[in-house]
Amino acid sequence: MRMYLPKPFQRRTQCTVIVLMTLGMLCCRASVAAPVDFVTQIAPILQQHCVHCHNETRKSGELSLAFGKDLLSLEFVVPGEPENSHLIDTVTADAGERPSMPEEGSPLSEDQVTTIRQWIAEGAKWPEGFEVQPKPKADGSWWSLQQVADVPLPDVLPGGSSHPIDRFIQRRLKQEQLSPSPQADRRTLIRRLYYDLIGLPPTPEAVAAFVADPDPKAYENLVDQLLDSDHFGERWARHWLDIAHYADTHGFERDKLRDNAWRYRDYVIRAFNDDKPYDRFLREQIAGDLIAPDAPDSVIATGFLAAGPWDFVGQVEARSPILRRAARALDLDDMVTQVMTSTMAMTVNCARCHDHKLDPITQREYYQLTAVFAGLSRKDRVVSHAAQSDYESNKARLEKSIADLQTEITQLQGEGVDLADIVGGGNGYGSGKKGRGIDPRTGLVQESSVSSLGDVRSGHFSASDNPFVDGVFIPASLKTQISSTGVFVSELPNNSGNAWDAIRHGPVTSQFSSTLGSTDYNADGHSMIGLHANAGITFDLDAIRDALILGKPEATKTDGFEFSTTVGYGGRTVEPSAEFHILFDGELILRKRIGRNDVVHVSRAIPSSTRFLTLVSTDGGNGYGHDQVSFGDPRIRSVAATEIADQKREQIDRLRSQVSELELELKSLVAPPVFFGVAPQNPPAVHVLSRGDPESPGEAVSPGGLSWSKEPLEFGDATTSDKERRLAIADWIVDPQNPLTSRVIVNRLWHWHFGSGIVDTPSDFGFGGSLPTHPDLLDWLASELVRQKWSLKAIHRLIVTSQTYQQVSHRRAGAIPPGENDPAVIDVDNKLLWRMNGRRLEAEAVRDSVLAISGKLNAEMYGPGFRDFDYQEAYAPIYTYKTADSPELWRRSVYRFTVRTTPSSFMTALDCPDPANFTPKRNVTTTALQSLAMFNNDFMLRQSRYLADRIAAESDQVDNQIELAFQLVLVRSPSTKELQGARELVQQFGLLHLCRALLNANEFVNLD
């Protein structure tokens, strides 16, 4: 066998090997021989004859010849003394006898033994770190690595179909003395087509029309109609997202939200609906930001590279550089594995620690692939940097104009007492310390930054030593004391009972932004109270009035005063999340729910009798994460002291009007979309890692691809840019000469239509995978894809219009015709497709069908995913699932916000896959839990009720109701026996229970 070594050794020594081997044969007995080169002369002998049994994982005789240490420690070799080396004894024998080693295969030749003797005599030097690895079981001659053959169509058999696919299938069936099954009836076919192409059931009206359609092209017309449906992309995107192991959270220990991942999901849906050429589809997902940097779709496509899990702790929070390197190595492994398994069905990740045991992929090639993506990091990024620059420029211009106007208004109004300064321990006129706060649990001054608060007592009021602050509290869901005089309030909404940080003069700990609208209230010239939910503070207005009139004999405490502030949300959440409340003596003056883009300007007169001003923030009942409420420039002014002439009042009103106009313009600015993808930078050096350990780097490698044991395939060198690397690998993958790409995708389509691929391991076309059942058909389909300009819809149409696809799925009744074999004996697994395969609907198709049948399906497409859970911010976020019982939660399952570490129990019971893993082929299990979920899950109970209501609204006749229920759920009429049983069930228990029973039927969750 040929030596299978890392490519640098091969390149440096290729010519030398030939020369030395030739010279060795001619001159091995010469008195003076050239020094033995271990890499090119000894390692090939060990690889061919020894390491199969003597390696690091299989140490026959406790000896490994992968490295040199065992040869010395076990005294098989004595450097410089071949005559005393046991290794020579094992590979030689007396005349007529066989050497004891190797046990299998031919013995070493005389020249090979002489070479080993010379190597030992020269000191038995083994290059440091060099590993002799077993040769893989497959080489460059493996079937899937050969060029796609130009296969001619088989002849049409007598009485057979002329359809290209049927010619291949029926020829193979004839060879096995089998015949195809008859065509399924139209009711079966329309249900099969609907589910395969759009993932939804046909309506009774559609079924009736198709069954009665006399047009001989009715079936083909239906295929075209479904391929043109927008629902097609929703159905087939889900298949691709399985391969991309897409989800909307990071996974790992801190399964944080990915609020912007959905744009990639929408890209995939649109790509399938638009029939984007598959080669372009792949190129965009690998290098779309480089191919068309100003085309949003092309840029968003690279979300593919970031779709998998990401270790936030290891990549961001870990302080240990060792942990960071380990996390980064796993991150790059995920990218490489995703690209290569999804596009070429090669298990390259098996070569991370050593050469691939089964396929001709070296460890060096694995790290060359890693080098292609080494310059990428996962993060939220803008779609267009140019658009982002324009947006920021316009935003800055408007914000400056508004800030200037606000400053002018403040100067005209007079300053008054600054409540934020008071929170910071000041007198209201600038003596307070920015950043200082008051602990809402105790009323004590809090200097240091804190985060989540413990020992929280909701509803407990704590007095403050600050003369202007009566006290603080954490609001309870029911009755809460808000003043030292015993004022209570019971109008506050439910909240989580959790609290975060102190009430601050300035932003709270980890506040996302101090900018409200267009003004940064933490900047010079402004002030703010940071009030993270859930907390409240009550100011003593009597004390503040005293301060305002101090030194002003003409002023009195009965003069008019006003409170003004700008309230906003400092957290990340765009949708309204937290609530603020303003109260005078416990009476609610203003309450509003706000999110990231909301700003509320407040200006309220304070009655002279009012003693207390209370500010409260609550979390809105959905967890307190990010609920950072801010009160910007909170002031109390004496109206008498700041009365101004009508001219000034008119001037202020005019300025406020200008501010309002500018704020409307600012609000109308649309920020360029952000998506979770990859951000490129200069690629760092990449090294082969010994045993895959980031702490054991070996030789540096340049970016490259897989050579299948032929000439090395390189995409440049260490100086090659990220752009050149990714474009090179994208072009290599979609090159029509690549033997894998077209084969892999047509096989995936075949698998998703028939339940089993021509190759039954859709993501492994190597030695560890299955062999193709119809290799000629696979190559013909692969070639046809390229001939059809990489149109996937063309292949879909080809598959579903074949007679093979339209066969019944059950075994034919009656005796086997003379001259034919029994298919249940010859082909029990139906590999030859003498009938159609029955299949179970996936979890998403089941859920979507239930909604469609009940009449509750929300057909809204695209946009952020719906969240069928309550989210609670924590170190490891808490996802608590709830019943999807509102229109926004009734969208198709492809739009579900998918959580990695906390999956939906209902969907999991129906075999919805774990998005932490690549899923080329879904598990299909049958468990009691599935029946219980379909019968008793709250979602199913409510949808059964909606279905019963829908049916009852259409007819009040029991038999008509039963007929419609069967048509909606099972796409057929009930049999006489079924009608009788259903009638008894409805009359005794009601229509609801019939609906529950039908939705739990095997016939509903299975195709055919």
Side-chain angles (χ1 to χ4, degrees):
M1 294 184 180
R2 188 163 54 84
M3 178 61 184
Y4 198 71
L5 299 171
K7 288 292 188 295
F9 291 105
Q10 290 183 4
R11 288 200 302 271
R12 287 199 302 266
T13 59
Q14 186 175 17
C15 295
T16 308
V17 171
I18 298 171
V19 172
L20 288 179
M21 290 181 66
T22 305
L23 290 176
M25 287 186 287
L26 294 175
C27 309
C28 63
R29 303 186 189 282
S31 58
V32 179
V36 173
D37 179 77
F38 179 87
V39 172
T40 60
Q41 293 177 271
I42 300 301
I45 298 173
L46 299 179
Q47 185 186 52
Q48 180 178 355
H49 296 282
C50 309
V51 293
H52 176 68
C53 297
H54 300 280
N55 54 63
E56 291 295 287
T57 55
R58 182 185 176 189
K59 283 191 173 187
S60 295
E62 300 183 358
L63 172 67
S64 169
L65 293 179
F67 297 98
K69 59 183 185 296
D70 285 358
L71 282 175
L72 299 177
S73 64
L74 299 177
E75 298 183 350
F76 271 79
V77 166
V78 179
E81 302 179 20
E83 66 279 3
N84 294 322
S85 296
H86 183 57
L87 178 62
I88 298 298
D89 296 336
T90 65
V91 297
T92 57
D94 294 334
E97 296 185 4
R98 178 185 172 85
S100 60
M101 292 293 166
E103 289 184 344
E104 301 174 2
S106 58
L108 271 62
S109 68
E110 184 178 347
D111 289 342
Q112 289 173 325
V113 173
T114 300
T115 301
I116 292 175
R117 286 182 189 275
Q118 182 182 344
W119 172 66
I120 296 174
E122 292 173 356
K125 295 178 181 178
W126 191 298
E128 183 178 356
F130 185 86
E131 180 179 4
V132 179
Q133 300 191 32
K135 195 170 184 180
K137 294 186 177 181
D139 57 22
S141 64
W142 184 247
W143 74 268
S144 64
L145 307 181
Q146 310 312 302
Q147 288 295 307
V148 175
D150 185 13
V151 180
L153 283 173
D155 294 334
V156 178
L157 296 177
S161 167
S162 62
H163 190 285
I165 287 176
D166 297 328
R167 295 193 195 188
F168 287 99
I169 297 296
Q170 292 175 7
R171 180 181 66 179
R172 181 69 191 281
L173 289 174
K174 184 178 181 182
Q175 290 170 355
E176 301 295 334
Q177 293 183 289
L178 299 173
S179 61
S181 295
Q183 186 181 53
D185 61 70
R186 282 197 169 187
R187 183 202 68 83
T188 300
L189 290 177
I190 187 173
R191 187 170 187 264
R192 185 185 295 173
L193 273 180
Y194 261 75
Y195 275 115
D196 266 2
L197 295 181
I198 66 172
L200 293 170
T203 64
E205 296 77 12
V207 175
F210 177 65
V211 170
D213 192 343
D215 188 344
K217 293 291 185 180
Y219 182 83
E220 288 76 9
N221 294 338
L222 178 62
V223 169
D224 289 339
Q225 172 193 326
L226 295 176
L227 288 175
D228 289 340
S229 168
D230 286 343
H231 293 310
F232 173 82
E234 293 173 324
R235 168 63 163 167
W236 284 86
R238 182 62 265 171
H239 291 315
W240 184 260
L241 294 175
D242 278 2
I243 300 170
H245 62 341
Y246 167 90
D248 297 284
T249 62
H250 289 329
F252 286 95
E253 180 181 358
R254 295 193 66 187
D255 195 13
K256 295 171 72 69
L257 300 171
R258 281 184 188 170
D259 290 319
N260 299 303
W262 59 270
R263 295 188 191 279
Y264 169 68
R265 175 251 291 152
D266 283 1
Y267 161 82
V268 178
I269 294 173
R270 288 190 175 96
F272 281 114
N273 274 337
D274 296 342
D275 197 20
K276 181 169 289 189
Y278 183 66
D279 58 341
R280 180 180 163 194
F281 179 63
L282 293 185
R283 291 186 81 241
E284 287 181 348
Q285 291 181 93
I286 296 170
D289 56 330
L290 310 173
I291 296 167
D294 295 322
D297 251 20
S298 187
V299 176
I300 290 170
T302 57
F304 169 73
L305 298 175
W310 185 63
D311 186 359
F312 179 83
V313 173
Q315 300 255 23
V316 177
E317 295 185 331
R319 296 183 179 180
S320 165
I322 294 176
L323 292 178
R324 282 178 174 263
R325 285 191 288 269
R328 178 59 173 162
L330 289 173
D331 190 41
L332 288 173
D333 177 74
D334 183 82
M335 285 190 200
V336 170
T337 303
Q338 176 159 310
V339 170
M340 298 307 295
T341 57
S342 63
T343 63
M344 297 171 63
M346 281 285 115
T347 57
V348 294
N349 53 314
C350 294
R352 181 182 169 198
C353 301
H354 47 69
D355 289 353
H356 204 295
K357 301 292 186 183
L358 303 178
D359 301 327
I361 304 170
T362 68
Q363 186 185 21
R364 187 173 191 277
E365 286 176 325
Y366 169 85
Y367 285 101
Q368 285 186 294
L369 288 167
T370 299
V372 173
F373 304 102
L376 300 179
S377 58
R378 307 183 198 223
K379 60 175 61 177
D380 279 323
R381 56 160 292 182
V382 296
V383 172
S384 169
H385 292 291
Q388 180 70 16
S389 178
D390 290 343
Y391 168 77
E392 290 176 351
S393 175
N394 289 326
K395 183 170 178 283
R397 172 182 56 81
L398 291 169
E399 287 175 345
K400 184 179 184 307
S401 298
I402 293 171
D404 291 344
L405 291 170
Q406 293 281 21
T407 300
E408 191 174 347
I409 291 171
T410 300
Q411 290 171 348
L412 290 170
Q413 286 179 323
E415 288 297 325
V417 170
D418 183 351
L419 299 185
D421 185 71
I422 288 175
V423 171
N427 59 9
Y429 294 100
S431 63
K433 181 180 178 182
K434 219 167 194 181
R436 179 180 288 168
I438 303 173
D439 191 323
R441 299 168 299 179
T442 64
L444 299 178
V445 173
Q446 180 62 258
E447 296 277 2
S448 60
S449 174
V450 291
S451 53
S452 185
L453 302 180
D455 300 323
V456 171
R457 288 186 293 166
S458 297
H460 175 72
F461 179 85
S462 296
S464 171
D465 291 336
N466 189 312
F468 302 111
V469 178
D470 186 54
V472 293
F473 56 91
I474 293 173
S477 296
L478 299 174
K479 198 173 183 181
T480 300
Q481 182 179 345
I482 64 170
S483 82
S484 59
T485 62
V487 175
F488 285 83
V489 64
S490 57
E491 300 176 5
L492 299 178
N494 292 339
N495 65 76
S496 66
N498 296 313
W500 178 279
D501 197 24
I503 301 168
R504 296 279 176 190
H505 174 16
V508 296
T509 300
S510 302
Q511 181 150 333
F512 173 66
S513 175
S514 57
T515 298
L516 311 179
S518 58
T519 304
D520 182 356
Y521 285 94
N522 196 40
D524 291 343
H526 295 281
S527 66
M528 63 179 286
I529 297 175
L531 196 64
H532 196 296
N534 296 282
I537 182 170
T538 298
F539 294 94
D540 187 335
L541 294 179
D542 277 354
I544 293 173
R545 289 188 184 100
D546 288 339
L548 282 168
I549 66 175
L550 184 65
K552 300 174 183 175
E554 73 285 358
T556 69
K557 292 175 69 171
T558 59
D559 289 341
F561 292 86
E562 71 173 10
F563 168 61
S564 63
T565 186
T566 298
V567 191
Y569 184 83
R572 291 177 179 269
T573 308
V574 174
E575 295 299 319
S577 175
E579 294 173 319
F580 74 87
H581 317 260
I582 300 174
L583 303 98
F584 290 166
D585 284 346
E587 181 181 346
L588 184 65
I589 301 302
L590 181 63
R591 170 190 293 163
K592 190 165 184 181
R593 191 178 182 95
I594 54 175
R596 184 75 205 96
N597 296 328
D598 299 308
V599 177
V600 181
H601 298 295
V602 179
S603 180
R604 292 297 175 100
I606 303 173
S608 59
S609 61
T610 300
R611 168 78 187 277
F612 299 114
L613 165 66
T614 303
L615 307 179
V616 188
S617 67
T618 55
D619 61 24
N622 60 353
Y624 74 139
H626 301 297
D627 286 347
Q628 303 149 0
V629 175
S630 300
F631 293 82
D633 288 342
R635 301 283 199 274
I636 292 180
R637 300 178 178 86
S638 168
V639 176
T642 57
E643 280 187 354
I644 51 181
D646 290 343
Q647 183 179 357
K648 282 192 174 181
R649 176 62 66 186
E650 290 174 3
Q651 186 178 355
I652 289 174
D653 291 343
R654 187 172 62 255
L655 292 173
R656 282 178 172 165
S657 177
Q658 292 177 32
V659 168
S660 297
E661 290 176 3
L662 290 173
E663 285 181 337
L664 283 174
E665 186 179 351
L666 181 63
K667 197 169 185 178
S668 70
L669 289 180
V670 178
V674 173
F675 74 104
F676 189 78
V678 290
Q681 57 189 6
N682 290 329
V686 173
H687 299 261
V688 175
L689 303 180
S690 177
R691 315 305 294 176
D693 180 7
E695 303 310 304
S696 301
E699 65 161 325
V701 295
S702 56
L706 305 179
S707 63
W708 322 126
S709 303
K710 300 172 186 175
E711 288 300 313
L713 177 63
E714 296 187 346
F715 300 144
D717 55 30
T719 65
T720 303
S721 67
D722 167 75
K723 177 178 181 178
E724 294 169 302
R725 296 175 189 215
R726 282 195 285 144
L727 285 174
I729 196 171
D731 289 341
W732 169 60
I733 287 173
V734 302
D735 188 324
Q737 298 304 308
N738 188 312
L740 288 165
T741 307
S742 56
R743 278 185 178 128
V744 168
I745 188 57
V746 297
N747 184 69
R748 291 194 192 280
L749 299 187
W750 191 274
H751 163 77
W752 287 322
H753 279 299
F754 286 96
S756 179
I758 296 173
V759 177
D760 197 29
T761 50
S763 282
D764 188 358
F765 272 40
F767 188 86
S770 301
L771 294 174
T773 56
H774 298 79
D776 287 351
L777 173 57
L778 181 64
D779 276 13
W780 186 87
L781 287 170
S783 298
E784 183 67 9
L785 175 66
V786 178
R787 285 191 292 267
Q788 294 291 338
K789 299 180 181 178
W790 297 87
S791 167
L792 295 183
K793 283 190 177 181
I795 303 302
H796 281 293
R797 186 177 290 105
L798 196 63
I799 290 173
V800 300
T801 55
S802 68
Q803 283 190 11
T804 303
Y805 176 85
Q806 296 176 57
Q807 296 177 105
V808 297
S809 61
H810 55 268
R811 186 179 176 183
R812 297 188 298 275
I816 304 298
E820 287 192 17
N821 288 318
D822 185 350
V825 175
I826 297 297
D827 185 28
V828 65
D829 293 326
N830 195 34
K831 297 291 186 184
L832 303 181
L833 290 174
W834 51 273
R835 61 175 174 83
M836 184 55 173
N837 289 315
R839 289 162 288 150
R840 234 244 322 269
L841 296 178
E842 305 94 331
E844 293 89 344
V846 171
R847 180 185 176 277
D848 294 351
S849 295
V850 169
L851 288 168
I853 290 166
S854 72
K856 295 299 182 181
L857 182 66
N858 179 351
E860 179 187 350
M861 296 183 68
Y862 308 121
F866 66 85
R867 302 185 183 188
D868 54 348
F869 54 81
D870 291 322
Y871 174 79
Q872 184 176 343
E873 184 67 45
Y875 177 79
I878 300 170
Y879 301 91
T880 306
Y881 284 89
K882 58 188 178 184
T883 302
D885 198 35
S886 56
E888 67 273 13
L889 303 181
W890 291 336
R891 300 173 66 196
R892 290 201 69 173
S893 299
V894 73
Y895 301 112
R896 191 168 61 91
F897 195 101
T898 305
V899 181
R900 292 187 196 274
T901 58
T902 313
S904 161
S905 58
F906 176 70
M907 299 295 281
T908 301
L910 301 180
D911 295 325
C912 192
D914 179 355
N917 303 318
F918 304 103
T919 309
K921 185 176 182 180
R922 291 205 175 185
N923 290 330
V924 179
T925 65
T926 302
T927 68
L929 189 60
Q930 292 165 350
S931 182
L932 290 171
M934 291 294 291
F935 200 64
N936 294 325
N937 181 272
D938 193 39
F939 169 77
M940 294 299 300
L941 290 173
R942 297 189 190 206
Q943 292 301 316
S944 297
R945 166 55 63 197
Y946 294 137
L947 174 57
D949 292 345
R950 175 186 179 180
I951 293 170
E954 296 200 23
S955 175
D956 58 2
Q957 299 296 314
V958 171
D959 283 7
N960 292 341
Q961 291 175 342
I962 294 170
E963 171 70 22
L964 182 55
F966 270 78
Q967 289 290 352
L968 285 169
V969 179
L970 304 182
V971 195
R972 65 173 177 84
S973 297
S975 66
T976 302
K977 187 176 181 180
E978 287 171 332
L979 178 61
Q980 179 181 348
R983 187 184 297 131
E984 294 173 1
L985 178 64
V986 172
Q987 290 172 344
Q988 185 172 357
F989 297 104
L991 185 57
L992 166 65
H993 292 279
L994 172 64
C995 294
R996 288 180 66 193
L998 291 176
L999 290 174
N1000 199 38
N1002 279 339
E1003 188 176 346
F1004 169 61
V1005 297
N1006 283 276
L1007 276 181
D1008 301 348

